[in-house]
Amino acid sequence: MKLSRRLIPDVTTLQAFECAARHGSFTQAAHELNLTQSAVSRQIKDLEEQLGVLLFERVRQRVVLSDDGRRFLPEVRKLLHQTEETMLRAMASASSEHSLAIATLPTFGSRWLTPRIPGFLAQHPGTIINIASRSAPFDFDEENFDLAIHYGQPVWARASCSYLCSEIILPAASPDLLKSWAPSEPKDLETAPLLHLATRPKLWAQWFELNGGSADTAYRGHRFDQFSMVIESAVAGLGFALLPKYLIEQELASGRLAVVFDRPMETENSYYLVVPEGKLENPLSQAFRAWIAGQVPA
């Protein structure tokens, strides 16, 4: 698709707009950007003429975003961030013939994937890895990743999903909490302090129903939006948590967490490796797919 150069603003002009919007002042924006106030004002005027809208309104000694300016600002910040990310990735891989950009779930990436990455790099020396966290599906056309690790169903627009593994969770707790509550059967946890993953609020109810308990009190307790927070809260003794065993390997090995009951439950979704359609034949992506398939639990 041929781009119209008339519709592509200069990045420095967008920086001037974002900076002026953030400070509410052309003068302060000029100071931050090491420009004169008149230079910033001229850049804003040129941008307004290019867009055909008024971006700022003058109120007393300040400039305030217009309605059009407020709508435009988030898109500008997104574009500037993407531009910076693109440059950083290019600079990081400048001395390498091969690079691989991976999007992964935050806790999966920090606790399971990253510790194993040296094994992949040993097989592919000289490769530069860029790992970023993403909690939900995104558009590969807008974000330049070679592949992603996804928890859910094998559905992703314009991409291919390869099954990695299911997810098995177990109740776990700190040794001190386990000692003070001393549960002898699953029903004993119905009145215990429970920890929840906010994005999966029904896990405890499902586990109780599977193990002969009642789901009536299964929604009580603290909530966190990442498994990593749930894990650290469990280690701190805040409550009992349902956790994937592969995410707490270190805590179990060190004794900071213990399995309460050996009553595993398979969750309704699974993990998948997702590759955009345009990169299915990428040799490094194919190598990573083969490598990670040998790392996941059987």
Side-chain angles (χ1 to χ4, degrees):
M1 181 179 66
K2 186 177 180 180
L3 299 176
S4 173
R5 297 189 61 171
R6 185 180 66 82
L7 297 177
I8 302 177
D10 189 277
V11 172
T12 57
T13 300
L14 296 181
Q15 286 179 312
F17 166 70
E18 190 281 331
C19 195
R22 180 158 34 86
H23 288 292
S25 166
F26 289 177
T27 301
Q28 291 184 42
H31 179 73
E32 178 177 322
L33 297 172
N34 198 27
L35 297 171
T36 64
Q37 191 270 350
S38 61
V40 171
S41 179
R42 185 170 59 253
Q43 287 179 318
I44 300 299
K45 182 179 179 181
D46 290 344
L47 184 59
E48 289 177 329
E49 290 179 352
Q50 186 177 15
L51 295 172
V53 299
L54 186 69
L55 296 174
F56 290 97
E57 298 173 351
R58 291 192 175 275
V59 179
R60 297 186 178 88
Q61 300 301 315
R62 295 178 59 83
V63 289
V64 179
L65 283 171
S66 66
D67 290 342
D68 288 318
R70 279 192 292 271
R71 285 190 290 267
F72 189 48
L73 181 59
E75 298 299 325
V76 168
R77 285 176 170 161
K78 179 181 178 181
L79 181 59
L80 290 174
H81 176 73
Q82 290 176 339
T83 302
E84 183 181 45
E85 285 290 306
T86 299
M87 291 296 293
L88 289 173
R89 281 198 296 267
M91 293 167 66
S93 59
S95 60
S96 174
E97 294 183 4
H98 306 289
S99 63
L100 195 65
I102 304 168
T104 181
L105 299 156
T107 308
F108 183 96
S110 62
R111 288 180 162 264
W112 189 90
L113 178 61
T114 303
R116 289 170 169 80
I117 282 294
F120 176 76
L121 294 180
Q123 298 176 19
H124 302 275
T127 298
I128 296 296
I129 296 291
N130 171 40
I131 299 178
S133 62
R134 294 293 184 276
S135 298
F138 54 86
D139 189 342
F140 277 105
D141 290 337
E142 294 185 1
E143 300 204 49
N144 190 27
F145 287 103
D146 297 302
L147 48 87
I149 295 170
H150 166 59
Y151 173 80
Q153 296 297 312
V155 178
W156 196 303
R158 297 183 298 281
S160 173
C161 298
S162 301
Y163 175 82
L164 287 178
C165 63
S166 61
E167 182 182 66
I168 308 296
I169 58 175
L170 289 163
S174 68
D176 289 343
L177 185 66
L178 198 55
K179 183 178 180 181
S180 63
W181 279 86
S184 59
E185 59 179 343
K187 289 183 178 181
D188 294 339
L189 295 181
E190 292 178 4
T191 57
L194 303 178
L195 304 178
H196 301 269
L197 183 65
T199 55
R200 304 196 217 165
K202 298 180 181 179
L203 285 184
W204 272 112
Q206 293 167 348
W207 188 85
F208 279 127
E209 291 174 354
L210 187 65
N211 290 280
S214 171
D216 293 343
T217 59
Y219 299 96
R220 297 175 297 99
H222 304 296
R223 280 173 162 68
F224 307 88
D225 72 350
Q226 299 290 340
F227 260 136
S228 58
M229 297 180 184
V230 179
I231 293 169
E232 292 304 319
S233 297
V235 169
L238 289 182
F240 294 84
L242 285 171
L243 298 167
K245 193 172 182 179
Y246 70 88
L247 289 183
I248 54 172
E249 294 171 340
Q250 294 182 4
E251 285 76 13
L252 293 176
S254 66
R256 292 193 297 158
L257 284 179
V259 173
V260 182
F261 297 109
D262 190 15
R263 301 286 187 91
M265 181 180 77
E266 183 173 339
T267 58
E268 57 188 5
N269 293 316
S270 300
Y271 287 92
Y272 297 89
L273 185 71
V274 185
V275 182
E277 292 175 348
K279 297 183 178 181
L280 290 172
E281 303 305 318
N282 182 323
L284 199 55
S285 293
Q286 292 179 339
F288 186 87
R289 179 165 49 186
W291 170 81
I292 197 173
Q295 299 295 314
V296 296

